[in-house]
Amino acid sequence: PSLNCVAACVAGEYRVCVGSRPSRAVVLRDEQGVLAGGVTEGAAQAFAAYAADNVVVSGNMWGSAAYRRALVPVLVRRALMALGEGSL
């Protein structure tokens, strides 16, 4: 895969893991409290922007570094929105 992403809420703390970057997966925690009020479209977009600034990617045969860099915020937002749909 070009990139993969998963989001979870563990003991009230939101975490996102981005892998296939192509080195070890990186875990991002919501240290700024962007998602403290729950997952909303705005909060997901803000955390996705944070992820885009903090996840280092490189290119390989599955995608260039620029392509993977563009995927990071998209996949993070989607993962968070999917997580938000599953929570009550």
Side-chain angles (χ1 to χ4, degrees):
S2 294
L3 209 63
N4 51 48
C5 180
V6 64
C9 185
V10 179
E13 178 190 38
Y14 287 92
R15 301 174 188 178
V16 172
C17 184
V18 180
S20 298
R21 325 174 289 108
S23 69
R24 286 188 173 179
V26 63
V27 177
L28 299 170
R29 290 179 166 80
D30 184 23
E31 295 171 350
Q32 287 82 30
V34 173
L35 301 164
V39 178
T40 64
E41 182 67 35
Q45 286 181 351
F47 195 83
Y50 167 75
D53 291 339
N54 289 282
V55 174
V56 177
V57 296
S58 62
N60 66 14
M61 62 194 273
W62 289 287
S64 68
Y67 174 70
R68 288 171 160 210
R69 196 172 303 109
L71 278 180
V72 170
V74 173
L75 295 179
V76 168
R77 186 191 63 76
R78 287 180 184 175
L80 286 169
M81 293 307 295
L83 178 65
E85 291 172 3
S87 63
L88 298 176

